[in-house]
Amino acid sequence: MMSNKKVKNLPVTDPQGTDEDMLDKLQRETFDYFLNEVNPVTGLIADKTEPGFPSSIAVTGMAITSYIIGVEKKILSRKNAIEKILKILRFFYDSQQGKQLNATGYKGFYYHFLKMNNGERAWNCELSTIDTSLFIAGALCAAAYFKNINREEAEIRDLADKLYRRIDWQWALNNGDTICQGWKPRSGFLRYRWDENYSEAMIMYILALGSPTFPINPAGYKKWIASFNVTKVYDTSYLYAGPLFIHQFSHMWIDFRGIQDSFNKKAGFDYFENSRRATYIHRQYAIENKLQFTDYGEYCWGLTASDGPGKKTLKIDGKKRVFYNYIARGAPYGPDDGTVSPWAVVASLPFAPEIVIGTIRNAIERFNLKPHRLHGFNASFNPTFPENTENLNGWVSPWMFGLNQGPVVIMIENYNTELIWNIMKQCPYLIEGLQLAGFSGGWLDKI
């Protein structure tokens, strides 16, 4: 029988200075992912640091957004950022669109994963509607930011606009009201739709509604949000979604503070407030720690889609424990195997800084979860899993993931300056989509 002793009162091993210094250092270190994990020919960004892994189109959209932040933070020159963004946009615009098995995309959408060196479809992945949306959000963000009257910035605006306009959202409905999750060239549309329960699809629907070429009917969005139900956890009413990333991804580009659709008006709170409540629920779940995972508590929490120690069943201190690989972990209803993702806490910074900042500090100063200063935080760790590593806190993921890095860079900036939110408020397509979805109030009424 294995044993896993609980570590208490860990000493401070990496003092961080002020909160501002800590966040600035973390943001800059995390930003380096988008400088290092990039193909010099295509501009595509790797999904993870494991050798041979393909690009993720969602991560590439986050990279474009992060390059803008790099300009504002003086990490990149404006010229350098323009070169990087143009390389990406030119690649996607010129890439093969068709039913061929090795194409980059079809109908304006792109495959979830692409080969880094040439952009061909990787593995047997699907043409992804949500990941295309996250990519195009980055492209539209660049179009709204680079406003100068010169050839390069005009080309950014032109390419982003053309890429957005050729997405055939109506085709993705597959003769229904709601958007399909994906499509494959041999088998056609996937059986699942974005048609029930709250999810990261919010930004996808808003972009589909705002399209000037292939807009969907608002009835599809209304049908989707009609499936939302408010639940109560720890005496808190909110719209449930277990993994934290669902409460974060659309918020990277959209400021939901004070704007409400028909669901919000009925529920009595907006989606930003919902994310704030979800953040508190994750912390409370860890404090109560009914499953008795090692080190869970006030400053150790945050479950999301993340890497894990592997599919194993072990007996630890007399208790049967089931562990997983990469899955979408969630609170309070699971799945949960004791794997915590510090980056997911950082991505909740704008919602609840009063509980997030101390947790970030604990992860750095006591758990030592960014020991190499390379790309910021370790992706995830599991102090319950009995494994001897350089880090004394059990299993630690050996890889970094782009889907973790983007939210850290972007949400630290939205917390500090609201930069990306304010840029996207200048995107007419986003405004149109929000209004067609039925959002009103707050900053939207001032546009």
Side-chain angles (χ1 to χ4, degrees), residues 284-338:
Q284 187 59 36
Y285 170 80
I287 290 172
E288 294 198 0
N289 195 16
K290 291 182 179 180
L291 297 179
Q292 298 181 333
F293 287 117
T294 300
D295 287 331
Y296 273 29
E298 183 179 3
Y299 297 109
C300 182
W301 51 273
L303 306 184
T304 193
S306 64
D307 196 15
K311 194 172 183 180
K312 299 178 181 178
T313 300
L314 302 174
K315 199 167 188 179
I316 302 172
D317 292 338
K319 187 184 294 289
K320 180 181 176 182
R321 296 287 192 186
V322 179
F323 298 96
Y324 307 102
N325 291 309
Y326 194 106
I327 62 167
R329 295 165 172 83
Y333 304 124
D336 182 14
D337 62 353

Side-chain angles (χ1 to χ4, degrees), residues 138-348:
L140 292 175
C141 187
Y145 176 75
F146 290 101
K147 295 278 194 171
N148 288 341
I149 309 299
N150 59 55
R151 183 177 60 83
E152 291 81 7
E153 298 197 23
E155 187 180 0
I156 287 177
R157 297 192 294 272
D158 180 59
L159 288 174
D161 196 66
K162 287 177 176 176
L163 288 168
Y164 178 54
R165 285 173 176 266
R166 78 179 181 189
I167 300 174
D168 193 342
W169 303 99
Q170 295 172 7
W171 170 80
L173 294 173
N174 189 26
N175 300 315
D177 296 320
T178 53
I179 297 174
C180 291
Q181 292 193 4
W183 177 89
K184 291 187 174 184
R186 283 180 171 161
S187 54
F189 284 102
L190 305 186
R191 60 183 293 190
Y192 301 107
R193 293 176 176 269
W194 298 100
D195 61 352
E196 60 180 0
N197 301 323
Y198 183 53
S199 71
E200 68 274 24
M202 184 67 64
I203 191 166
M204 179 190 71
Y205 271 104
I206 290 166
L207 291 174
L209 287 165
S211 170
T213 48
F214 301 102
I216 65 168
N217 192 301
Y221 176 80
K222 293 175 182 177
K223 182 177 182 179
W224 175 49
I225 65 172
S227 72
F228 295 178
N229 291 303
V230 173
T231 188
K232 182 173 281 191
V233 179
Y234 307 132
D235 293 325
T236 299
S237 296
Y238 82 127
L239 183 56
Y240 171 76
L244 277 174
F245 82 89
I246 290 177
H247 299 282
Q248 298 162 343
F249 273 19
S250 294
H251 295 256
M252 286 191 281
W253 292 279
I254 305 175
D255 180 3
F256 284 102
R257 293 175 300 176
I259 64 173
Q260 297 189 334
D261 63 8
S262 59
F263 168 80
N264 299 138
K265 291 165 186 172
K266 180 180 178 181
F269 52 84
D270 58 44
Y271 293 114
F272 182 93
E273 170 63 19
N274 191 72
S275 293
R276 188 190 72 82
R277 296 181 186 187
T279 304
Y280 267 88
I281 284 168
H282 269 251
R283 185 184 69 153
Q284 187 59 36
Y285 170 80
I287 290 172
E288 294 198 0
N289 195 16
K290 291 182 179 180
L291 297 179
Q292 298 181 333
F293 287 117
T294 300
D295 287 331
Y296 273 29
E298 183 179 3
Y299 297 109
C300 182
W301 51 273
L303 306 184
T304 193
S306 64
D307 196 15
K311 194 172 183 180
K312 299 178 181 178
T313 300
L314 302 174
K315 199 167 188 179
I316 302 172
D317 292 338
K319 187 184 294 289
K320 180 181 176 182
R321 296 287 192 186
V322 179
F323 298 96
Y324 307 102
N325 291 309
Y326 194 106
I327 62 167
R329 295 165 172 83
Y333 304 124
D336 182 14
D337 62 353
T339 301
V340 176
S341 299
W343 72 267
V345 176
V346 184
S348 285

